[in-house]
Amino acid sequence: MTRRIRTAVFISGRGSNMQSLVHAAKAKDYPADIVLVISNRPEATGLEFARANGITAIAVDHKLYGKDRAAFEGELHKILLEHKIELVCLAGFMRLMTADFVNRWAGRMLNIHPALLPAYKGLHTHERALADGVAQHGCTVHFVVPEMDEGPVILQRAVPVLPDDTPETLSARVLEQEHIAYPAALAQVAKSRL
Ligand code: GRF
């Protein structure tokens, strides 16, 4: 069996992007192997999906660490080392990381954001895009740097904004593209590390 890059996915909720990565990694020639899923919310439905697919799934409840972000991240880092993780994919992971943690994983941590960065950093991207009346919206996979939703872009996919769009219809159209973009971006990064 050819070597594949050991990859962890961080989630906070439904984990549909994580699921798209797991599905893509089932192909024999996919250059990354999803070996670990971590959620900061123990109730995240994505954890069950991961376990059902034979992937180690661990909850690290950020609430147990109070304001001590370094301790929370220390636990994440320890688990990543234990599992010999080489790449981390943030997929709907709703915690901001300290510069310390991000820098430890510089060039080895990816994120997906539901907008065409640098447009619409932060939350509620679909609502804001609709309010501005833009013609195009989309998603971005990028390397994570200490500044939120910045960092080198790996891949973007655009969708049209239609006249009768609501935040829900627009977000569904973007999500479809996220599920194509993330597996493609991870493949690109993993291949370059083999
Ligand atoms: C996605 O829209 C992603 O771009 C954003 O949060 C959402 C997570 O969805 N960061 P899911 O948990 O992957 O289904």
Side-chain angles (χ1 to χ4, degrees):
M1 182 121 175
T2 48
R3 192 177 112 69
R4 308 210 287 161
I5 299 293
R6 292 178 64 81
T7 303
V9 186
F10 284 12
I11 61 169
S12 295
R14 72 186 158 177
S16 72
N17 277 290
M18 176 271 292
Q19 293 187 24
S20 77
L21 294 173
V22 169
H23 285 306
K26 288 190 175 171
K28 276 208 186 73
D29 59 347
Y30 195 77
D33 194 8
I34 311 299
V35 295
L36 176 68
V37 171
I38 295 182
S39 172
N40 66 304
R41 291 184 193 279
E43 68 281 9
T45 50
L47 288 172
E48 274 319 302
F49 170 89
R51 289 187 190 117
N53 281 269
I55 298 166
T56 304
I58 301 175
V60 182
D61 187 350
H62 68 275
K63 291 199 196 95
L64 302 178
Y65 298 84
K67 288 197 167 36
D68 195 349
R69 279 161 87 194
F72 170 65
E73 292 171 351
E75 181 61 20
L76 296 178
H77 192 69
K78 190 185 101 200
I79 296 170
L80 292 176
L81 294 186
E82 274 167 10
H83 288 81
K84 298 188 165 48
I85 297 302
E86 302 174 87
L87 283 179
V88 176
C89 291
L90 307 183
F93 185 66
M94 302 303 283
R95 302 303 297 170
L96 286 179
M97 312 273 207
T98 64
D100 222 33
F101 183 81
V102 171
N103 288 333
R104 277 196 258 178
W105 288 89
R108 300 185 291 157
M109 186 151 68
L110 287 60
N111 181 46
I112 186 151
H113 182 73
L116 295 172
L117 292 172
Y120 306 116
K121 297 172 186 172
L123 296 173
H124 310 300
T125 57
H126 310 304
E127 287 84 345
R128 286 153 60 208
L130 285 175
D132 287 349
V134 294
Q136 270 206 328
H137 190 43
C139 61
T140 304
V141 183
H142 63 96
F143 285 107
V144 178
V145 296
E147 298 74 30
M148 188 186 66
D149 297 330
E150 295 198 15
V153 169
I154 301 161
L155 206 145
Q156 293 188 306
R157 289 183 72 92
V159 300
V161 178
L162 304 180
D164 54 354
D165 263 337
T166 62
E168 290 70 33
T169 58
L170 182 55
S171 107
R173 192 174 310 119
V174 171
L175 192 64
E176 241 175 66
Q177 298 306 311
E178 292 185 37
H179 295 162
I180 299 169
Y182 217 167
L186 172 60
Q188 191 181 310
V189 174
K191 237 179 240 164
S192 75
R193 298 188 70 89
L194 279 173

